[in-house]
Amino acid sequence: EVQLVESGGGLVKPGGSLRLSCAASGFMFSSYNMNWVRQAPGKGLEWVSSISSSSSYIYFADSVKGRFTISRDNAKNLLFLQMNSLRAEDTAVYYCARFLSRTTMVSSFDYWGQGTLVTVSS
Amino acid sequence: SYVVTQPPSVSVAPGQTARITCGGNNIGSKSVHWYQQKSGQAPVLVVYDDSDRPSGIPERFSGSNSGNTATLTINRVEAGDEADYYCQVWDSSSEHWVFGGGTKLTVL
């Protein structure tokens, strides 16, 4: 069974940093491209970042580019999101999600974790 | 950047057909994916590549895409279909994924 479990969320002050993790199981993690998607309280889904299976290709939303870093550890089946210079508007539930296709990053997201809440407030 | 537009809400009686639209400039040339998100839960993929269904998704869910509008159709709507629905496309010019603002489906 495919499982994605996020962790690392919490309360952080504006300007602070946080590192989110996503533990993957039930599939060959190293073969799949992955994503982070967030959802502010009461709002819609917002794509944050994508990373290819080998980390060769990385994309970021304009809203987080230069502040967030995505990475992965294929040996440990882990996906990361390093968030720096956090702002109040980064407050959201952060989901990791798997691309359906193993061969392209232009594909739907077929499995999602349950999310981890990040709150940026003084 | 590419913009996709969804109606904020759609209401339908049980047993009827719900149609949720996703509008965008020449969206028919893109692959559209649809997600269902029930209250307090993670999103679930219900239609991908315009009209394909993942395993486990009822045949009542279908999709189409042409011109400037993609449509998610839910036949024989049930109370359990009440949720927020989001469309998603890849904007190749900006290399960004774009989600619609979401449509709240209410089953009357």
Side-chain angles (χ1 to χ4, degrees), chain A residues 45 95 109-114, chain B residues 33-38 41-47 54-58 61 72 83-86:
Chain A
L45 301 174
Y95 297 100
F109 303 172
D110 64 344
Y111 284 95
W112 298 61
Q114 284 304 306
Chain B
H33 316 302
W34 291 93
Y35 301 88
Q36 174 194 70
Q37 187 180 33
K38 296 182 179 180
Q41 298 184 19
V44 172
L45 179 67
V46 292
V47 168
S55 61
I57 300 302
F61 289 81
L72 174 69
D84 294 322
Y85 291 84
Y86 296 90

Short mmCIF file of all heavy atoms in Angstrom, two decimals, chain A residues 45 95 109-114, chain B residues 33-38 41-47 54-58 61 72 83-86:
data_model
loop_
_atom_site.label_atom_id
_atom_site.label_comp_id
_atom_site.label_asym_id
_atom_site.label_seq_id
_atom_site.Cartn_x
_atom_site.Cartn_y
_atom_site.Cartn_z
N LEU A 45 -6.09 24.73 -3.18
CA LEU A 45 -4.79 24.10 -3.30
C LEU A 45 -3.82 25.00 -4.06
O LEU A 45 -4.19 25.66 -5.03
CB LEU A 45 -4.92 22.77 -4.06
CG LEU A 45 -5.85 21.73 -3.44
CD1 LEU A 45 -6.00 20.53 -4.36
CD2 LEU A 45 -5.34 21.29 -2.08
N TYR A 95 1.13 19.31 1.88
CA TYR A 95 0.98 17.92 1.46
C TYR A 95 2.15 17.52 0.56
O TYR A 95 2.58 18.30 -0.30
CB TYR A 95 -0.28 17.75 0.63
CG TYR A 95 -1.59 18.02 1.34
CD1 TYR A 95 -2.26 19.23 1.19
CD2 TYR A 95 -2.20 17.04 2.12
CE1 TYR A 95 -3.47 19.47 1.80
CE2 TYR A 95 -3.42 17.27 2.75
CZ TYR A 95 -4.04 18.49 2.57
OH TYR A 95 -5.25 18.71 3.18
N PHE A 109 -1.25 13.90 -9.90
CA PHE A 109 -0.72 13.49 -8.60
C PHE A 109 -1.64 12.40 -8.05
O PHE A 109 -2.78 12.68 -7.68
CB PHE A 109 -0.71 14.67 -7.62
CG PHE A 109 0.07 15.88 -8.10
CD1 PHE A 109 0.02 17.07 -7.37
CD2 PHE A 109 0.87 15.84 -9.22
CE1 PHE A 109 0.73 18.19 -7.78
CE2 PHE A 109 1.59 16.95 -9.64
CZ PHE A 109 1.52 18.12 -8.92
N ASP A 110 -1.16 11.17 -7.99
CA ASP A 110 -2.07 10.08 -7.69
C ASP A 110 -2.16 9.69 -6.22
O ASP A 110 -3.16 9.11 -5.80
CB ASP A 110 -1.77 8.85 -8.55
CG ASP A 110 -0.40 8.26 -8.29
OD1 ASP A 110 0.46 8.94 -7.66
OD2 ASP A 110 -0.17 7.11 -8.72
N TYR A 111 -1.14 9.98 -5.43
CA TYR A 111 -1.20 9.70 -4.00
C TYR A 111 -0.76 10.93 -3.22
O TYR A 111 0.22 11.59 -3.60
CB TYR A 111 -0.32 8.50 -3.62
CG TYR A 111 -0.94 7.18 -3.99
CD1 TYR A 111 -0.61 6.56 -5.20
CD2 TYR A 111 -1.84 6.54 -3.14
CE1 TYR A 111 -1.18 5.35 -5.56
CE2 TYR A 111 -2.42 5.33 -3.50
CZ TYR A 111 -2.08 4.74 -4.70
OH TYR A 111 -2.65 3.54 -5.05
N TRP A 112 -1.50 11.20 -2.15
CA TRP A 112 -1.22 12.36 -1.31
C TRP A 112 -1.08 11.91 0.14
O TRP A 112 -1.76 10.97 0.57
CB TRP A 112 -2.37 13.37 -1.39
CG TRP A 112 -2.64 13.95 -2.73
CD1 TRP A 112 -2.99 13.29 -3.88
CD2 TRP A 112 -2.61 15.34 -3.07
NE1 TRP A 112 -3.18 14.17 -4.91
CE2 TRP A 112 -2.96 15.45 -4.44
CE3 TRP A 112 -2.34 16.50 -2.36
CZ2 TRP A 112 -3.02 16.68 -5.11
CZ3 TRP A 112 -2.41 17.73 -3.02
CH2 TRP A 112 -2.75 17.81 -4.37
N GLY A 113 -0.22 12.60 0.89
CA GLY A 113 -0.18 12.38 2.31
C GLY A 113 -1.32 13.10 3.00
O GLY A 113 -2.14 13.75 2.34
N GLN A 114 -1.38 13.00 4.32
CA GLN A 114 -2.45 13.65 5.08
C GLN A 114 -2.11 15.10 5.43
O GLN A 114 -2.97 15.83 5.93
CB GLN A 114 -2.77 12.86 6.34
CG GLN A 114 -3.57 11.60 6.06
CD GLN A 114 -4.86 11.91 5.33
OE1 GLN A 114 -5.68 12.74 5.75
NE2 GLN A 114 -5.07 11.27 4.18
N HIS B 33 -6.53 17.53 -14.97
CA HIS B 33 -6.71 16.55 -13.91
C HIS B 33 -7.69 17.11 -12.88
O HIS B 33 -7.74 18.32 -12.66
CB HIS B 33 -5.39 16.22 -13.24
CG HIS B 33 -4.25 16.03 -14.21
ND1 HIS B 33 -4.29 15.08 -15.20
CD2 HIS B 33 -3.07 16.68 -14.33
CE1 HIS B 33 -3.17 15.15 -15.91
NE2 HIS B 33 -2.42 16.12 -15.40
N TRP B 34 -8.45 16.22 -12.26
CA TRP B 34 -9.47 16.65 -11.30
C TRP B 34 -9.26 15.92 -9.96
O TRP B 34 -9.00 14.71 -9.93
CB TRP B 34 -10.87 16.31 -11.81
CG TRP B 34 -11.30 17.13 -12.98
CD1 TRP B 34 -11.15 16.83 -14.31
CD2 TRP B 34 -11.98 18.39 -12.94
NE1 TRP B 34 -11.70 17.83 -15.09
CE2 TRP B 34 -12.21 18.80 -14.27
CE3 TRP B 34 -12.42 19.22 -11.89
CZ2 TRP B 34 -12.86 19.99 -14.59
CZ3 TRP B 34 -13.05 20.40 -12.21
CH2 TRP B 34 -13.28 20.79 -13.55
N TYR B 35 -9.43 16.67 -8.88
CA TYR B 35 -9.27 16.13 -7.53
C TYR B 35 -10.52 16.43 -6.71
O TYR B 35 -11.13 17.49 -6.85
CB TYR B 35 -8.06 16.76 -6.83
CG TYR B 35 -6.77 16.52 -7.57
CD1 TYR B 35 -6.35 17.38 -8.57
CD2 TYR B 35 -5.99 15.40 -7.30
CE1 TYR B 35 -5.18 17.15 -9.28
CE2 TYR B 35 -4.82 15.16 -8.00
CZ TYR B 35 -4.43 16.03 -8.99
OH TYR B 35 -3.27 15.79 -9.70
N GLN B 36 -10.85 15.48 -5.88
CA GLN B 36 -11.94 15.63 -4.92
C GLN B 36 -11.33 15.77 -3.53
O GLN B 36 -10.44 15.01 -3.17
CB GLN B 36 -12.84 14.37 -4.95
CG GLN B 36 -13.93 14.34 -3.91
CD GLN B 36 -14.51 12.93 -3.79
OE1 GLN B 36 -13.86 12.01 -3.31
NE2 GLN B 36 -15.76 12.77 -4.22
N GLN B 37 -11.80 16.74 -2.78
CA GLN B 37 -11.32 16.90 -1.41
C GLN B 37 -12.50 17.05 -0.47
O GLN B 37 -13.20 18.07 -0.49
CB GLN B 37 -10.39 18.10 -1.28
CG GLN B 37 -9.74 18.20 0.11
CD GLN B 37 -8.82 19.39 0.27
OE1 GLN B 37 -9.05 20.45 -0.32
NE2 GLN B 37 -7.77 19.23 1.06
N LYS B 38 -12.71 16.03 0.34
CA LYS B 38 -13.75 16.10 1.36
C LYS B 38 -13.21 16.82 2.58
O LYS B 38 -12.00 16.92 2.78
CB LYS B 38 -14.23 14.70 1.70
CG LYS B 38 -14.89 14.00 0.51
CD LYS B 38 -15.42 12.63 0.86
CE LYS B 38 -16.09 12.01 -0.35
NZ LYS B 38 -16.62 10.65 -0.07
N GLN B 41 -9.91 16.22 4.78
CA GLN B 41 -9.15 15.12 4.19
C GLN B 41 -8.21 15.62 3.09
O GLN B 41 -8.33 16.74 2.61
CB GLN B 41 -10.09 14.07 3.61
CG GLN B 41 -11.00 13.43 4.65
CD GLN B 41 -11.85 12.33 4.06
OE1 GLN B 41 -11.57 11.79 2.98
NE2 GLN B 41 -12.92 11.98 4.76
N ALA B 42 -7.27 14.76 2.73
CA ALA B 42 -6.37 15.08 1.63
C ALA B 42 -7.11 14.94 0.29
O ALA B 42 -8.11 14.21 0.20
CB ALA B 42 -5.17 14.13 1.66
N PRO B 43 -6.64 15.62 -0.72
CA PRO B 43 -7.26 15.46 -2.05
C PRO B 43 -7.11 14.04 -2.58
O PRO B 43 -6.16 13.33 -2.26
CB PRO B 43 -6.48 16.45 -2.92
CG PRO B 43 -5.91 17.44 -1.96
CD PRO B 43 -5.61 16.64 -0.72
N VAL B 44 -8.06 13.67 -3.44
CA VAL B 44 -8.06 12.37 -4.10
C VAL B 44 -8.22 12.62 -5.60
O VAL B 44 -9.10 13.37 -6.03
CB VAL B 44 -9.21 11.48 -3.59
CG1 VAL B 44 -9.32 10.21 -4.43
CG2 VAL B 44 -9.01 11.14 -2.12
N LEU B 45 -7.38 11.97 -6.38
CA LEU B 45 -7.46 12.08 -7.84
C LEU B 45 -8.69 11.33 -8.32
O LEU B 45 -8.85 10.14 -8.03
CB LEU B 45 -6.19 11.50 -8.47
CG LEU B 45 -6.10 11.50 -9.99
CD1 LEU B 45 -6.01 12.93 -10.53
CD2 LEU B 45 -4.89 10.67 -10.43
N VAL B 46 -9.57 11.99 -9.08
CA VAL B 46 -10.77 11.31 -9.57
C VAL B 46 -10.79 11.18 -11.10
O VAL B 46 -11.41 10.26 -11.63
CB VAL B 46 -12.07 12.01 -9.09
CG1 VAL B 46 -12.23 11.82 -7.58
CG2 VAL B 46 -12.12 13.47 -9.48
N VAL B 47 -10.14 12.10 -11.78
CA VAL B 47 -10.01 12.03 -13.24
C VAL B 47 -8.65 12.60 -13.62
O VAL B 47 -8.24 13.63 -13.10
CB VAL B 47 -11.13 12.82 -13.96
CG1 VAL B 47 -10.81 12.99 -15.45
CG2 VAL B 47 -12.48 12.13 -13.80
N PRO B 54 -8.74 6.83 -12.28
CA PRO B 54 -7.88 5.91 -11.53
C PRO B 54 -8.71 4.71 -11.07
O PRO B 54 -9.93 4.79 -10.96
CB PRO B 54 -7.42 6.74 -10.33
CG PRO B 54 -7.70 8.16 -10.71
CD PRO B 54 -8.87 8.12 -11.62
N SER B 55 -8.02 3.62 -10.78
CA SER B 55 -8.73 2.47 -10.26
C SER B 55 -9.39 2.82 -8.93
O SER B 55 -8.83 3.55 -8.12
CB SER B 55 -7.77 1.29 -10.08
OG SER B 55 -6.76 1.64 -9.16
N GLY B 56 -10.59 2.33 -8.76
CA GLY B 56 -11.33 2.59 -7.53
C GLY B 56 -12.26 3.78 -7.60
O GLY B 56 -13.08 3.98 -6.69
N ILE B 57 -12.16 4.57 -8.63
CA ILE B 57 -13.07 5.71 -8.81
C ILE B 57 -14.29 5.23 -9.59
O ILE B 57 -14.15 4.64 -10.67
CB ILE B 57 -12.38 6.87 -9.54
CG1 ILE B 57 -11.17 7.36 -8.74
CG2 ILE B 57 -13.37 8.01 -9.78
CD1 ILE B 57 -11.47 7.83 -7.33
N PRO B 58 -15.48 5.49 -9.07
CA PRO B 58 -16.70 5.01 -9.74
C PRO B 58 -16.85 5.55 -11.16
O PRO B 58 -16.42 6.66 -11.46
CB PRO B 58 -17.83 5.53 -8.84
CG PRO B 58 -17.19 5.77 -7.52
CD PRO B 58 -15.78 6.18 -7.80
N PHE B 61 -18.04 9.12 -12.36
CA PHE B 61 -17.17 10.27 -12.57
C PHE B 61 -16.56 10.21 -13.97
O PHE B 61 -15.96 9.20 -14.35
CB PHE B 61 -16.03 10.30 -11.54
CG PHE B 61 -16.50 10.65 -10.15
CD1 PHE B 61 -17.06 9.68 -9.33
CD2 PHE B 61 -16.35 11.93 -9.64
CE1 PHE B 61 -17.49 9.98 -8.05
CE2 PHE B 61 -16.77 12.26 -8.36
CZ PHE B 61 -17.35 11.27 -7.57
N LEU B 72 -15.89 18.29 -15.45
CA LEU B 72 -16.02 17.09 -14.65
C LEU B 72 -17.51 16.82 -14.49
O LEU B 72 -18.25 17.70 -14.03
CB LEU B 72 -15.37 17.27 -13.28
CG LEU B 72 -15.57 16.12 -12.29
CD1 LEU B 72 -14.80 14.88 -12.74
CD2 LEU B 72 -15.13 16.53 -10.88
N ALA B 83 -18.23 17.64 -1.70
CA ALA B 83 -16.80 17.89 -1.51
C ALA B 83 -16.40 19.12 -2.32
O ALA B 83 -17.22 19.68 -3.07
CB ALA B 83 -15.98 16.69 -1.99
N ASP B 84 -15.16 19.52 -2.15
CA ASP B 84 -14.55 20.52 -3.03
C ASP B 84 -13.84 19.79 -4.17
O ASP B 84 -13.18 18.77 -3.94
CB ASP B 84 -13.55 21.38 -2.26
CG ASP B 84 -14.21 22.23 -1.20
OD1 ASP B 84 -15.33 22.73 -1.44
OD2 ASP B 84 -13.61 22.41 -0.12
N TYR B 85 -13.98 20.33 -5.36
CA TYR B 85 -13.36 19.74 -6.54
C TYR B 85 -12.42 20.75 -7.19
O TYR B 85 -12.79 21.92 -7.37
CB TYR B 85 -14.42 19.28 -7.53
CG TYR B 85 -15.21 18.10 -7.03
CD1 TYR B 85 -16.30 18.26 -6.19
CD2 TYR B 85 -14.84 16.78 -7.38
CE1 TYR B 85 -17.00 17.17 -5.70
CE2 TYR B 85 -15.55 15.69 -6.91
CZ TYR B 85 -16.62 15.90 -6.06
OH TYR B 85 -17.32 14.82 -5.58
N TYR B 86 -11.22 20.30 -7.51
CA TYR B 86 -10.20 21.16 -8.10
C TYR B 86 -9.72 20.61 -9.44
O TYR B 86 -9.47 19.42 -9.55
CB TYR B 86 -8.97 21.26 -7.19
CG TYR B 86 -9.25 21.91 -5.85
CD1 TYR B 86 -9.64 21.15 -4.75
CD2 TYR B 86 -9.10 23.28 -5.67
CE1 TYR B 86 -9.89 21.73 -3.52
CE2 TYR B 86 -9.35 23.88 -4.44
CZ TYR B 86 -9.74 23.10 -3.38
OH TYR B 86 -9.99 23.69 -2.16
#
